[in-house]
Amino acid sequence: MSTDVYNIRAVEWNADAEVLDRARLWPGTGTRVRRHGGAGVTLEALPGGVWKHPWFTAPLWDPAGGRWVARVKPGFVNGLDPVVPGAGEDGEDARLLDRPDIVLGGFRHVGAAADDPAPRFFHLLGVPDARGRTWRGLPPRTLRASDLILRTARAALQGNVEVVDATGTSGTIAQYRVGLDTTRVDQVGVRARIGVTARWVPPPPPSVAERMLGIFRDETEDVTPICTVYLLAPERTDDAPDANWAAFVRHHLFWNLRHAPRNLRPPEPPAPIILFTGLAGGIGDAIGNQILANINDLSDRVFNALNNTTNEGRYWT
Amino acid sequence: MMDDLERVSRGMTVTEDRWESMRSANAARRIHPGNGVRVARLPWGTIVSAAPAALPWAHSWKVRRSGDTGLVAPGRVNGLPARIDDTPLEGDARTGEIPRLRLRTDRFSEAGESWVALRLELEQGRAALSEPLDGDGEWPLTIVQTPTLSPEGGAAEFAGGGSPDKDGVALYPLAVFYRGARTEGFGVLHQIAHFDLNHRFSGGPPPRHFFWAA
C-alpha cells in the first residue's frame, strides 16, 4: 500500500466541499426530508389533504432494508380492509389500515415473454421493443415488474365419486356427488388479502368438455389485480432492482369492492333413482341399480355442468 | 453545522480521516425516492420528480369530522335521500339547516373501528326500499355511527357479499374511523362509499341486502 501523500490543491478540495454542501437536501414547500445518517436522505412529497383513490400505491426504496416496498392507500372489500400476510411485527399478518410496508419481490423481466411486452411509455425511455431496438437509438435499459393482487378465499365446488353398497349384495354402486371444498376458507377466512406475485395471469375459463366430463378443478380463491409496479434501471443489467432504479405504477383497481361467491351452500343435486325389483332373489336389484347408477352419474354431471360447475365469485363496486 | 465538511488550507495533509469524511459526506447526501417522489438516476444526471397534487372531489356520502361532529354529503339509494335525525342530508326544507351527526368515542369496536354507516330499514312485509306508506312513518334511510356492521351486533358476516339482515334492517358502511390499539380519540377517517347506490333485498337463505354503485 502506498504511503505517499496526495498533493491536492486546497482550492480544489474546498471547491469540491462547496459543491457537496450545496448538494445537501433541505425540505421546501410540500416536501419533507428524512436523514439516515451515512445511508443517504429520503425526500418525500407531503400529502396535500386532497383525494387519492382507494388502493393508490406508492413504491418506496427502503434504505435500511435494502429493498423496494409499496404503501397502499386503504381500500375495502365488503366494508373491511384487507390483511397483508406477514407484513406485521414478527411476521404476523397486518391490516391495511395500519399502513404496512408491502415488500416487493419476484420481479419479472418485462419483454422477456412474447405476451408481456413493455408498454410503449417505457419504449420511449429506452426499453427495447420486441425486436431489441430502442427508440431513437437510446442506450437500452432493463425493465422489471411485479403485480399486487387482491385475493379472497371461497369454497370450491368439488365432484366426488361415492361408492355405495345399496343392495346388501356383493355388488357396488358408484355415485357422482357435488360438494363444497372449504379447505382454503378454513385456513385463511373470507377476509380479503393482498399478495405480491411476479406476474398474475387470470386462469383460463374451463372448456365445455371439461365442464361436461366433470374434470374441471374449481379455484379456491377469487383474485383481482390491484396494480403493476414497474422498475426501470438506468441501464441494461441483470442485477436485482436497487435504489438507482426508477419506479412507476399502473393501477388496475380504483374503487372499493363487494365480493360474493356464487353459492353460500352446496347446491342440491337430484336424489338418485333406486330401483327395487325383487327379481331373481335380489340379483335383479343389483343389476338394475347398477344401470341406474350410470344414469344417476350422467344426471349429476349434467346438473353440475349446467348449473354449478364452479363457485366462482364476483367483485363489484 | 454538524456535518459541515472541513475546509483545508495550503500545506495540510490529505489524511485518511479527511478523505473518508469527504466520502462519507458524499454518501450521506445521496437522495432516495420517498412517497410521491421519483428519482431517476441516469448516466448523464439525476432527475427528481414529485407527484402532482390530486384534485379534490366532492362525491356522494363524503364524511367529514370537526371535533365530535360529523357531516355527510348527500347521497341516494334507489333514488331516495338519506337523513340524520329526520333531517335530509341536503338540508332542512324550511330552514336550510344541514344536519350533523353527533360522534362518540365510545362507539368503537375492540379492533379500534367505528363506522359511519347507512342504516336501511325495509317497511314490514315489503322487500323493496320505498318511502313510508304512512306519511308519518320512520324514514327508511338514516346515518348512524356504529361499532359493528351487523344489525344484530357482534361481527358481521359478509360471506355472501351482501349486508346481513335483521328484521329488514341492514347497515352499509360509508366511512370508518380507525384508531388501532388506542382507546381515545377518533383516529384516522377513511372514506368507503363514493357513489349513489342501488339496493336489492334477497331472502336467501340467509337474507341479505345487496348494494351496488348507481
Side-chain angles (χ1 to χ4, degrees), chain A residues 169-252:
Chain A
T169 69
S170 59
T172 58
I173 300 172
Q175 299 290 329
Y176 184 72
R177 291 282 181 263
V178 173
L180 282 180
D181 176 11
T182 62
T183 304
R184 189 59 176 162
V185 172
D186 295 338
Q187 288 175 343
V188 300
V190 297
R191 189 161 182 163
R193 291 165 298 121
I194 290 183
V196 179
T197 183
R199 185 183 180 195
W200 177 75
V201 179
S207 66
V208 174
E210 288 174 333
R211 290 179 184 269
M212 294 300 294
L213 292 174
I215 60 177
F216 170 68
R217 186 172 179 80
D218 194 14
E219 301 288 337
T220 59
E221 290 183 327
D222 292 315
V223 180
T224 191
I226 297 175
C227 68
T228 298
V229 177
Y230 291 96
L231 288 171
L232 181 63
E235 55 194 3
R236 191 199 299 268
T237 178
D238 292 328
D239 295 338
D242 60 19
N244 294 313
W245 295 47
F248 302 82
V249 179
R250 179 179 183 178
H251 291 97
H252 305 297

Side-chain angles (χ1 to χ4, degrees), chain A residues 5-6 10 13-14 17-18 20-21 24-25 37-45 50-51 54 58 60-61 68 74 76 78-80 95 97-98 141 234 243-248 255-256 258-261 264-265 316-317, chain B residues 1 3-4 6-10 14 18 22 26-35 37-39 41-42 54 57 111 113 115 158-163 172-173 176 178 190-192 194-195 205-206 208 210-213:
Chain A
V5 172
Y6 283 84
W13 179 283
N14 291 335
E18 290 283 352
L20 282 173
D21 280 342
R24 187 185 305 159
L25 207 59
V41 177
T42 297
L43 171 67
E44 288 183 323
V50 295
W51 186 81
L60 310 170
W61 172 254
W68 280 94
F76 299 85
N78 291 346
L80 299 175
R95 296 183 61 171
L97 279 176
D98 290 326
R141 304 169 70 180
N244 294 313
W245 295 47
F248 302 82
W255 308 113
N256 294 318
R258 288 260 160 171
H259 171 268
L264 291 182
R265 294 189 173 83
W316 73 92
T317 59
Chain B
M1 293 182 180
D3 56 352
D4 275 351
E6 177 189 10
R7 297 301 191 264
V8 299
S9 57
R10 185 177 181 179
V14 178
R18 289 191 174 117
M22 176 72 85
N26 188 23
R29 283 154 178 77
R30 185 180 178 84
I31 298 174
H32 300 290
N35 190 22
V37 172
R38 178 184 304 132
V39 174
R41 280 178 243 280
L42 303 171
W57 179 31
E113 310 145 312
W115 285 271
F158 285 100
S163 299
Y172 184 84
V176 62
Y178 180 66
H190 298 272
Q191 186 73 28
I192 297 177
H194 299 90
F195 302 104
R208 293 174 285 169
F210 287 99
F211 295 86
W212 65 98

Side-chain angles (χ1 to χ4, degrees), chain A residues 4-307:
Chain A
D4 292 341
V5 172
Y6 283 84
N7 290 322
I8 300 178
R9 294 172 60 194
V11 63
E12 291 172 346
W13 179 283
N14 291 335
D16 288 343
E18 290 283 352
V19 171
L20 282 173
D21 280 342
R22 287 197 299 271
R24 187 185 305 159
L25 207 59
W26 296 98
T29 303
T31 62
R32 175 168 55 214
V33 167
R34 288 189 287 122
R35 304 185 193 280
H36 306 290
V41 177
T42 297
L43 171 67
E44 288 183 323
L46 289 174
V50 295
W51 186 81
K52 287 184 179 177
H53 65 80
W55 316 107
F56 184 91
T57 301
L60 310 170
W61 172 254
D62 174 18
R67 58 191 184 179
W68 280 94
V69 299
R71 288 184 188 160
V72 179
K73 179 186 173 184
F76 299 85
V77 180
N78 291 346
L80 299 175
D81 57 309
V83 297
V84 185
E89 294 182 3
D90 300 327
E92 294 180 348
D93 292 353
R95 296 183 61 171
L96 194 58
L97 279 176
D98 290 326
R99 301 300 191 115
D101 285 342
I102 302 173
V103 179
L104 299 174
F107 297 103
R108 69 180 186 271
H109 192 141
V110 179
D115 62 343
D116 186 28
R120 177 169 173 75
F121 171 83
F122 295 105
H123 181 60
L124 300 178
L125 294 178
V127 176
D129 61 13
R131 298 182 181 181
R133 301 171 304 184
T134 60
W135 187 67
R136 293 191 177 182
L138 286 173
R141 304 169 70 180
T142 297
L143 181 67
R144 297 195 193 276
S146 187
D147 289 341
L148 267 70
I149 56 176
L150 191 66
R151 317 165 70 157
T152 306
R154 59 169 172 85
L157 277 184
Q158 184 177 32
N160 296 311
V161 177
E162 179 183 345
V163 178
V164 176
D165 182 1
T167 64
T169 69
S170 59
T172 58
I173 300 172
Q175 299 290 329
Y176 184 72
R177 291 282 181 263
V178 173
L180 282 180
D181 176 11
T182 62
T183 304
R184 189 59 176 162
V185 172
D186 295 338
Q187 288 175 343
V188 300
V190 297
R191 189 161 182 163
R193 291 165 298 121
I194 290 183
V196 179
T197 183
R199 185 183 180 195
W200 177 75
V201 179
S207 66
V208 174
E210 288 174 333
R211 290 179 184 269
M212 294 300 294
L213 292 174
I215 60 177
F216 170 68
R217 186 172 179 80
D218 194 14
E219 301 288 337
T220 59
E221 290 183 327
D222 292 315
V223 180
T224 191
I226 297 175
C227 68
T228 298
V229 177
Y230 291 96
L231 288 171
L232 181 63
E235 55 194 3
R236 191 199 299 268
T237 178
D238 292 328
D239 295 338
D242 60 19
N244 294 313
W245 295 47
F248 302 82
V249 179
R250 179 179 183 178
H251 291 97
H252 305 297
L253 186 59
F254 302 89
W255 308 113
N256 294 318
L257 299 172
R258 288 260 160 171
H259 171 268
R262 179 179 295 184
N263 297 296
L264 291 182
R265 294 189 173 83
E268 293 294 331
I273 302 170
I274 300 177
L275 176 65
F276 295 96
T277 64
L279 296 176
I283 297 177
D285 287 342
I287 297 172
N289 284 336
Q290 288 196 353
I291 296 173
L292 284 172
N294 289 330
I295 296 174
N296 290 337
D297 265 346
L298 292 174
S299 172
D300 275 346
R301 289 183 181 187
V302 170
F303 173 84
N304 188 30
L306 294 179
N307 294 314

